[in-house]
Amino acid sequence: MNMSLFVHKKSLLKKFVKKIKEDGVFYHVMMFIHSVLKQPMQIDHVKHKILKTLIQKHNYKVAHGPFKGMKLNENPIWSKYDLITQMLGVYEKNVLSKIIEFSQIDDSLFIDLGAADGYFAVGVASGGIFKKVCAFEINKKSQQSIINIAKNNG
């Protein structure tokens, strides 16, 4: 075995062990079984059912909280299941609470670094929570998503 192949295998093994430590053995065993059986995991089935119900009821709009009425992106770049908590108005509630707290101190400018799909940036802009909003995102697809959600919300 040549040295570069050995180093590569050792590096892969380190990455695998790190992922096991981060996510747990049970998760990786379930993902392996899922990939072998080619069947959706029960939790995905339940999430899909909840998402479908919320979409029918709220039509991709936030139903509660400070962003109530905001139209969400129908094809999010990150996780489509984030739409569940976004439509319910409880997405990253601890972050949202801090944003509201900061707006009560100074509502002149909100800067969103790593804006992802634009949920917070567009939410505080369309909700009038901050007077000026700047969103920064490195991912090109996410940048387009932010533009789309901003257009959908005036």
Side-chain angles (χ1 to χ4, degrees):
M1 176 187 287
N2 73 27
M3 192 55 142
S4 66
L5 182 60
F6 176 74
V7 170
H8 178 69
K9 284 184 177 181
K10 188 174 178 181
S11 173
L12 286 175
L13 182 60
K14 280 184 179 181
K15 286 179 185 178
F16 176 72
V17 170
K18 181 181 177 191
K19 287 301 289 174
I20 293 290
K21 286 180 180 177
E22 288 174 0
D23 302 327
V25 173
F26 180 76
Y27 171 80
H28 287 281
V29 169
M30 291 303 296
M31 292 308 294
F32 174 75
I33 292 169
H34 165 68
S35 68
V36 170
L37 297 177
K38 303 275 189 236
Q39 299 214 356
M41 293 178 64
Q42 185 64 26
I43 191 76
D44 288 339
H45 176 71
V46 172
K47 284 195 255 183
H48 181 74
K49 197 172 180 180
I50 292 168
L51 179 59
K52 187 176 174 184
T53 301
L54 288 171
I55 290 168
Q56 288 172 347
K57 184 171 184 171
H58 301 295
N59 194 30
Y60 293 95
K61 287 188 179 175
V62 178
H64 307 282
F67 300 167
K68 184 177 181 175
M70 180 174 82
K71 178 83 168 102
L72 300 169
N73 187 343
E74 294 180 18
N75 299 302
I77 302 304
W78 301 104
S79 170
K80 70 178 177 182
Y81 295 121
D82 284 346
L83 287 171
I84 294 170
T85 53
Q86 289 174 346
M87 278 189 271
L88 292 173
V90 296
Y91 177 74
E92 293 189 4
K93 195 169 185 175
N94 57 333
V95 174
L96 183 56
S97 296
K98 280 294 181 190
I99 290 171
I100 300 302
E101 184 181 318
F102 292 143
S103 74
Q104 293 166 349
I105 297 167
D106 182 0
D107 67 349
S108 60
L109 176 63
F110 178 77
I111 300 173
D112 191 349
L113 301 175
D117 284 321
Y119 178 78
F120 290 116
V122 175
V124 298
S126 65
I129 297 168
F130 283 86
K131 293 177 180 140
K132 185 174 181 181
V133 177
C134 296
F136 297 92
E137 175 56 54
I138 195 168
N139 181 291
K140 296 289 184 197
K141 288 181 180 179
S142 292
Q143 290 172 2
Q144 190 58 53
S145 178
I146 295 166
I147 292 167
N148 293 340
I149 194 174
K151 285 179 183 176
N152 289 337
N153 288 281

